[in-house]
């Protein structure tokens, strides 16, 4: 036959008695490497003259190890059939004895070389047998034994009752059969047989603890090596199964769940066996399983983000998607297939967590650009806890919470690098933006400036991203950006001062100078708001930097307001020169010019932002009233009669109402200035001294910067020369001045009379001023008759009229 011919049989003729044909004298298996020979003393001969050595070799090469012949070396004596050879197919088996195995290397070579030749030989034999059957014709029907014994027409006797057969003893599998179970992924059965083989090895070695193989004699060493090799093959299949089941459900989801269930059963069996083995010999397959899960997770993550074109942010997004996908597979399909006691989901989660920690640690050790460091910190602090761990019941894990992906030192180092880079980059970028904007200040074209917007965008890019990572990092970044902003504003202030000090630029930009100044003022509010916001977010030590930034902006705003106010009042000065004269009493022309000019210029000032506009209008309101009251207190007009005082007071009230309407239309919030001119008009018009005292007291209370010299000048204007009355009125101002002597002077924006200097009187000091201080003989000296009033000695001293 072809199979026997391929194995070296000399002739294809087989006797009907079932004996083997004579084999060729040359053995085709003698040159196969690794083939082991049995001992010479245990060999017999077959009817065709060949030895049992050839028969044993045929079994191994033809894959008939599961049909091992009943004859076993070493068991010839004592058996019922000693000395009688068994048939080639091994119909008589010896139960209870584990058949020896061939080496794994020989099995691999035979399985690799035998596949094609066996298929070809089997196919050729089948074709020949089919041809022979066609030649013989159909097979004749054989008459049964019952038909031969029982005559026709009679009922067949009942068959004898079946005697139950004795239970067959379970025959232990050979090593090759256990290996076949492993390759077929019947892992739980294979592990059971491995444990039995390990127990046999333990019994043969004298009852020692099972575990790694120990070479003690030829038989014991061979069996221990078989156990070790089988465990290696089993673990290879187990860990391969871990990798394959993570790849996704695929078409064989049910089969995969069954394989995972077998994997879990193997782990449970081995954990129980480790309890019997003891701590020194435990194989710890459960720990190796966790390591295999971690390796598979590492491979999955590395395959998900090998090098995305979008940089580190794209790689982190790919990792997030892979984590959600794989943990969904574990939660929905793999974890339920494991035994509950293994905590499978926690093992997989820790495996992915550890693999991700290694990936992020390797990324953090590289020199990353600033944007990638931001992305890494944000993903570590926010995305992973919220979008990955937020979907997992971490509290239910057996060993508590998961650790941090990156160590606190690594996170702190990344934050320090970010702060350092931001400090260097923002300073250089802010100076570059300022230089580019300054180049357009001297241009005659009306160029819109975006300086404040550019500065805010440069800093807000960092101050908005850092707090989203962590509150502490946001504080550090806010403090860093606030320091850079304070330095920028100090440089900005210096450049604005140089711009306004350059008179040539003012003459060159006669038409656009006001517009350029308003543009510079408009930079203040957004930058001030940014500084305030950074100070609120930053640590307590941010206050000095905030004050420096606010001070620089205040100086820039005051300088620009003063420049604009000076330009406006230079135009208004001719109209103010016409006030407090005789023409002013009869004609409102002077005040109409003031109101008209202020109203026209206010249209250009509307381009200013609200905060600096309100401050400028308040300053214009204050300065307009100061310039209005200044000529009154300088004595341009003297009232020698009650009728004149009444006319002057009425005119003052009318002008005050007109100015109040103007600045209310300009949206001035300096309402504290509305009452100053009416109070002065009341002092001029009232006749009785007590009423004047009351009005002076109200004036001193509302305007603390008024002094006795201002009240005295007002009394001179109304023509009050009565010494006693003057003394009583000035005493009110003196008492209030002394009571508030320790108080601080009003702020600059609330000062009014302090900006109105009063000329020192040159009239003769009256006699009652020096009674009790100087003698009459000394008053008669001409050198003392007219003294400049350096310091009033007493409020009761009257002033001499010119």
């Amino acid at each position: 036959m072809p199979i026997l011919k391929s194995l070296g049989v000399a002739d294809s003729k087989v006797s009907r008695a079932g004996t083997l044909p004579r084999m060729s004298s040359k053995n085709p298996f003698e040159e196969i490497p690794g083939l082991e020979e049995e001992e010479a003393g245990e060999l017999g001969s077959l009817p065709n003259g060949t030895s049992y050595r050839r028969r044993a070799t045929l079994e191994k090469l033809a894959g008939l190890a599961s049909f091992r012949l009943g004859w076993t070396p070493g068991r010839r004596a004592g058996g019922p059939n000693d000395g009688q050879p068994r048939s080639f197919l091994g119909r008589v088996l010896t139960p209870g004895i584990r058949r020896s195995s061939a080496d794994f290397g020989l099995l691999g070579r035979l399985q690799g070389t035998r596949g094609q030749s066996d298929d070809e030989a089997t196919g050729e034999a089948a074709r020949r047998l089919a041809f022979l059957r066609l030649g013989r014709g159909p097979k004749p029907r054989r008459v049964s034994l019952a038909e031969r014994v029982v005559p026709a027409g009679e009922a067949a006797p009942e068959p004898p009752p079946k005697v139950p057969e004795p239970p067959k003893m379970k025959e232990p599998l050979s090593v090759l059969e256990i290996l076949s179970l492993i390759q077929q992924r019947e892992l739980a059965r294979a592990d059971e047989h491995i444990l039995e083989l390990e127990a046999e090895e333990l019994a043969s070695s004298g009852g020692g603890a099972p575990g790694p193989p120990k070479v003690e004699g030829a038989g014991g060493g061979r069996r221990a090596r078989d156990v070790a090799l089988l465990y290696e093959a089993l673990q290879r299949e187990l860990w391969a199964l871990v990798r394959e089941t993570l790849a996704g459900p695929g078409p064989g989801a049910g089969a995969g769940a069954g394989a995972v269930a077998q994997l879990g059963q193997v782990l449970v069996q081995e954990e129980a066996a480790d309890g019997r083995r003891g701590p020194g010999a435990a194989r710890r397959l459960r720990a190796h399983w966790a390591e295999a899960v971690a390796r598979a997770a590492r491979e999955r993550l590395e395959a998900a983000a090998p090098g995305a074109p979008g940089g580190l942010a794209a790689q982190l997004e790919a990792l997030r998607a892979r984590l959600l996908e794989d943990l969904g597979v574990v939660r929905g399909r793999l974890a339920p297939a494991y035994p509950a006691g293994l905590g499978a989901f926690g093992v997989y989660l820790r495996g992915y967590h550890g693999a991700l920690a290694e990936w992020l640690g390797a990324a953090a050790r590289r020199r990353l650009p600033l944007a990638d460091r931001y992305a890494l910190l944000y993903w570590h602090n926010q995305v992973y806890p919220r979008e990955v761990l937020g979907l997992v019941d971490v509290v239910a894990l057996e060993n508590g919470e998961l650790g941090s992906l990156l160590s606190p030192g690594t996170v702190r180092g990344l934050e320090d690098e970010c702060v350092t880079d931001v400090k260097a980059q923002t300073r250089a970028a802010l100076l570059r933006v300022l230089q580019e904007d300054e180049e357009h200040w001297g241009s005659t074209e009306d160029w819109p400036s975006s300086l404040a917007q550019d500065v805010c965008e440069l800093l807000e890019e960092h101050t908005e991203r850092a707090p989203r990572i962590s509150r502490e990092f946001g504080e550090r970044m806010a403090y860093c950006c606030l320091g850079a902003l304070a330095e920028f504003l100090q440089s900005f202030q210096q450049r604005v001062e140089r711009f306004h000090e350059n008179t040539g630029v003012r003459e060159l930009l006669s038409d656009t100078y006001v517009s350029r100044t308003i543009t510079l003022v408009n930079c203040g509010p957004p930058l001030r708001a940014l500084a305030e916001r950074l100070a609120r977010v930053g640590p307590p030590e941010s206050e000095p930097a905030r004050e420096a930034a606010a001070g620089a902006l205040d100086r820039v705003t005051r300088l620009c307001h003063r420049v604009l106010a000076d330009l406006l009042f230079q135009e208004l000065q001719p109209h103010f020169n016409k006030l407090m004269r005789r023409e002013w009493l009869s004609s409102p022309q002077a005040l109409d010019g003031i109101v008209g000019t202020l109203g026209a210029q206010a249209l250009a000032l509307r381009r200013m932002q609200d905060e600096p506009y309100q401050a400028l209008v308040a300053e214009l309101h204050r300065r307009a009233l100061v310039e209005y009251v200044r000529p009154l207190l300088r004595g341009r007009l003297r009232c020698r009669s009650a009728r004149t005082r009444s006319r002057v007071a009425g005119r003052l009230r009318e002008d005050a109402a007109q100015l109040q309407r103007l600045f209310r239309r300009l949206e001035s919030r300096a309402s504290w200035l509305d009452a100053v001119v009416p109070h002065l008009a009341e002092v001029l018009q009232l006749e009785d001294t007590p009423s004047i005292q009351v009005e002076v007291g109200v004036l001193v209370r509302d305007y603390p910067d008024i002094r006795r010299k201002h009240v005295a000048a007002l009394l001179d204007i109304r023509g009050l020369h009565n010494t006693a009355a003057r003394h009583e009125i000035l005493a009110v101002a003196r008492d209030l001045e002394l009571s508030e002597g320790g108080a601080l002077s009003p702020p600059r924006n609330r000062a009014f009379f302090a900006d109105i200097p009063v000329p020192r009187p040159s009239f003769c000091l009256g006699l009652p001023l020096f009674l009790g201080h100087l003698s009459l003989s000394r008053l008669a000296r001409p050198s003392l008759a007219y003294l400049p009033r350096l310091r009033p000695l007493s409020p009761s001293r009257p002033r001499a009229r010119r």
Side-chain angles (χ1 to χ4, degrees):
M1 296 177 70
I3 299 177
L4 300 178
K5 186 176 182 180
S6 63
L7 296 175
V9 179
D11 192 3
S12 60
K13 297 179 181 179
V14 182
S15 63
R16 295 185 180 180
T19 59
L20 288 174
R22 183 178 303 276
M23 302 180 69
S24 63
S25 59
K26 182 179 179 181
N27 188 356
F29 309 102
E30 292 178 353
E31 298 178 1
I32 296 179
L35 184 63
E36 298 180 357
E37 300 288 349
E38 301 288 346
E39 295 181 3
E42 299 176 354
L43 297 180
S45 61
L46 294 174
N48 61 355
T50 59
S51 64
Y52 279 103
R53 175 187 304 175
R54 303 296 181 243
R55 177 189 60 82
T57 303
L58 179 61
E59 289 177 0
K60 296 177 182 179
L61 293 178
L64 302 177
S66 59
F67 300 101
R68 169 81 178 190
L69 297 181
W71 175 83
T72 304
R75 293 184 54 85
R76 292 178 300 177
N81 299 319
D82 289 345
Q84 298 181 6
R86 310 295 174 93
S87 66
F88 176 71
L89 296 178
R91 289 187 168 88
V92 182
L93 301 177
T94 304
I97 303 300
R98 186 179 300 277
R99 297 174 297 281
S100 61
S101 65
D103 189 73
F104 288 114
L106 175 61
L107 178 67
R109 287 193 295 273
L110 293 179
Q111 289 180 346
T113 58
R114 200 183 64 211
Q116 296 181 359
S117 61
D118 288 352
D119 294 341
E120 294 174 358
T122 305
E124 184 180 356
R127 285 193 298 272
R128 291 184 179 181
L129 290 175
F131 175 76
L132 292 176
R133 282 195 297 269
L134 288 175
R136 289 199 308 264
K139 184 176 181 181
R141 180 177 176 273
R142 297 177 61 182
V143 180
S144 64
L145 181 62
E147 292 177 351
R148 294 177 184 174
V149 176
V150 180
E154 296 183 9
E158 295 183 359
K162 294 183 178 180
V163 180
E165 299 180 358
K168 297 182 179 180
M169 297 180 62
K170 183 180 178 182
E171 182 184 3
L173 300 182
S174 67
V175 177
L176 295 179
E177 291 170 328
I178 298 174
L179 179 63
S180 178
L181 291 176
I182 294 174
Q183 293 172 348
Q184 296 171 10
R185 288 201 170 169
E186 297 185 19
L187 304 176
R189 285 186 57 200
D191 184 61
E192 292 176 359
H193 289 287
I194 294 175
L195 292 175
E196 293 176 1
L197 183 60
E198 186 180 36
E200 293 178 10
E201 190 272 335
L202 172 63
S204 64
S205 62
K214 300 179 181 179
V215 179
E216 297 177 358
R222 175 61 177 271
R223 190 178 289 110
R225 188 172 71 247
D226 287 346
V227 171
L229 293 175
L230 287 172
Y231 267 115
E232 290 179 5
L234 177 65
Q235 292 187 55
R236 280 196 299 270
E237 290 297 325
L238 291 175
W239 312 152
L241 182 62
V242 169
R243 289 193 303 272
E244 294 169 7
T245 52
L246 278 176
V260 171
Q262 290 202 48
L263 191 156
Q265 186 177 352
V266 170
L267 295 177
V268 172
Q269 293 173 179
E270 287 295 329
E271 191 170 18
D274 281 345
R276 297 189 299 269
R277 294 182 182 120
R283 296 189 181 274
R284 302 176 62 249
L285 251 66
R286 186 170 179 178
H288 296 326
W289 168 57
E291 296 172 359
V293 169
R295 287 194 301 270
R298 188 182 309 113
E299 294 173 0
R300 294 280 294 168
L301 295 182
E302 291 176 354
L312 187 60
Q315 292 180 337
L316 293 172
E317 178 60 24
L319 288 178
R320 185 191 68 84
R322 178 56 57 86
L323 283 169
L324 294 178
E325 175 188 355
D326 288 3
L327 291 179
V329 171
V330 172
R331 178 189 289 274
R333 186 167 57 88
L334 300 184
Y338 282 97
L342 293 178
F345 186 75
V347 172
Y348 276 88
L349 180 60
R350 287 190 178 87
Y352 274 93
H353 186 82
L356 184 61
E358 294 180 6
W359 195 96
L360 293 181
R365 287 189 292 272
R366 299 197 302 265
R367 180 60 183 173
L368 298 174
L370 181 60
D372 286 352
R373 281 198 294 271
Y374 272 134
L376 180 59
L377 288 171
Y378 179 71
W379 200 92
H380 173 269
N381 287 20
Q382 298 296 330
V383 175
Y384 182 68
R386 182 180 64 248
E387 300 186 15
V388 179
L389 296 184
L391 306 177
V392 178
D393 188 8
V394 180
V395 181
L397 296 179
E398 293 181 357
N399 297 331
E401 297 183 358
L402 299 171
S404 177
L405 290 174
L406 297 176
S407 65
T410 303
V411 175
R412 181 74 178 189
L414 290 173
E415 293 178 354
D416 292 341
E417 292 176 1
C418 288
V419 171
T420 302
D421 288 355
V422 167
K423 184 181 298 184
Q425 293 180 12
T426 52
R427 287 178 178 176
L430 291 175
L431 288 178
R432 182 175 62 255
V433 168
L434 180 58
Q435 291 174 358
E436 293 175 356
D437 193 79
E438 187 183 12
E439 293 175 357
H440 298 277
W441 293 358
S443 175
T444 56
E445 299 179 358
D446 191 6
W447 180 78
S449 175
S450 60
L451 177 62
Q453 180 181 357
D454 295 341
V455 171
C456 291
E457 289 178 355
L458 283 172
L459 296 179
E460 287 175 351
E461 178 185 0
H462 307 289
T463 57
E464 291 179 357
R465 297 184 67 177
R468 292 200 295 264
I469 295 173
S470 67
R471 184 180 61 84
E472 295 78 7
F473 186 44
E475 291 181 358
R476 297 181 61 196
M477 188 59 67
Y479 181 68
C480 170
C481 292
L482 182 59
L485 178 61
E487 293 181 6
F488 165 79
L489 291 178
Q490 291 175 0
S491 178
F492 175 65
Q493 172 203 340
Q494 297 172 359
R495 294 170 188 251
V496 170
E497 290 174 351
R498 288 199 300 266
F499 171 74
H500 287 300
E501 289 173 358
N502 191 348
T503 57
V505 173
R506 182 180 302 184
E507 296 175 357
L508 179 64
L509 303 177
S510 57
D511 297 334
T512 59
Y513 186 73
V514 174
S515 177
R516 188 73 65 222
T517 304
I518 292 175
T519 301
L520 295 176
V521 172
N522 285 339
C523 294
L527 297 179
R528 188 186 301 274
L530 177 60
E532 295 291 339
R533 186 166 63 253
L534 294 179
R536 287 194 302 269
V537 176
E541 53 267 23
S542 304
E543 187 61 23
R546 186 202 66 81
E547 293 178 354
L553 287 175
D554 290 341
R555 287 187 286 272
V556 169
T557 303
R558 285 197 301 266
L559 174 61
C560 293
H561 283 176
R562 188 177 71 248
V563 168
L564 294 174
D566 289 344
L567 291 176
L568 179 58
F569 280 94
Q570 285 179 5
E571 186 176 354
L572 292 173
Q573 194 60 42
H575 301 287
F576 283 113
N577 290 336
K578 297 177 182 180
L579 297 176
M580 308 306 164
R581 300 183 185 277
R582 294 185 181 275
E583 294 82 1
W584 168 72
L585 284 175
S586 57
S587 173
Q589 181 181 1
L591 189 65
D592 291 344
I594 294 173
V595 172
T597 303
L598 282 173
Q601 294 296 332
L603 296 177
L605 300 179
R606 291 284 185 178
R607 296 173 47 198
M608 196 176 297
Q609 294 193 18
D610 185 67
E611 181 182 354
Y613 173 78
Q614 294 295 336
L616 178 58
V617 169
E619 178 63 17
L620 294 178
H621 193 175
R622 189 190 70 84
R623 285 191 63 174
L625 290 178
V626 166
E627 295 298 328
Y628 182 87
V629 174
R630 188 193 303 275
L632 176 66
L633 296 182
R634 290 181 68 88
R636 283 186 186 177
L637 188 66
R638 297 300 175 107
C639 301
R640 301 181 183 276
S641 63
R643 181 173 177 275
T644 305
R645 290 196 295 271
S646 178
R647 288 183 61 193
V648 171
R651 190 64 185 169
L652 288 175
R653 292 190 186 95
E654 292 178 2
D655 291 352
Q658 191 172 357
L659 290 173
Q660 182 177 353
R661 288 192 298 271
L662 168 67
F663 286 105
R664 188 171 295 172
R665 189 171 67 251
L666 297 180
E667 301 178 0
S668 173
R669 298 177 183 176
S671 57
W672 61 280
L673 294 168
D674 294 339
V676 61
V677 175
H679 283 315
L680 296 178
E682 291 295 326
V683 173
L684 291 178
Q685 189 176 8
L686 292 174
E687 296 296 335
D688 57 316
T689 301
S691 299
I692 296 175
Q693 286 180 314
V694 172
E695 197 64 33
V696 169
V698 173
L699 190 64
V700 173
R701 182 198 63 193
D702 293 344
Y703 303 94
D705 59 337
I706 193 172
R707 295 294 178 261
R708 282 176 292 175
K709 60 182 179 180
H710 298 103
V711 179
L714 192 59
L715 295 178
D716 290 340
I717 293 169
R718 76 181 308 278
L720 181 60
H721 304 299
N722 188 305
T723 305
R726 291 175 67 93
H727 176 76
E728 293 176 359
I729 295 171
L730 293 174
V732 175
R734 182 195 62 184
D735 293 342
L736 293 175
E737 185 177 330
L738 292 177
S739 64
E740 298 178 359
L744 298 176
S745 59
R748 183 71 183 84
N749 58 351
R750 300 282 298 197
F752 185 83
F753 289 98
D755 290 345
I756 304 176
V758 177
R760 294 172 181 174
S762 57
F763 52 84
C764 178
L765 295 176
L767 182 63
L769 292 174
F770 294 91
L771 292 177
H773 297 282
L774 299 174
S775 61
L776 293 176
S777 59
R778 296 183 62 185
L779 287 174
R781 283 186 285 181
S783 60
L784 297 177
Y786 298 93
L787 294 176
R789 186 183 177 194
L790 299 177
R791 183 178 180 182
L793 298 179
S794 174
S796 61
R797 296 176 181 173
R799 297 178 182 177
R801 296 181 58 190
R802 288 185 179 180

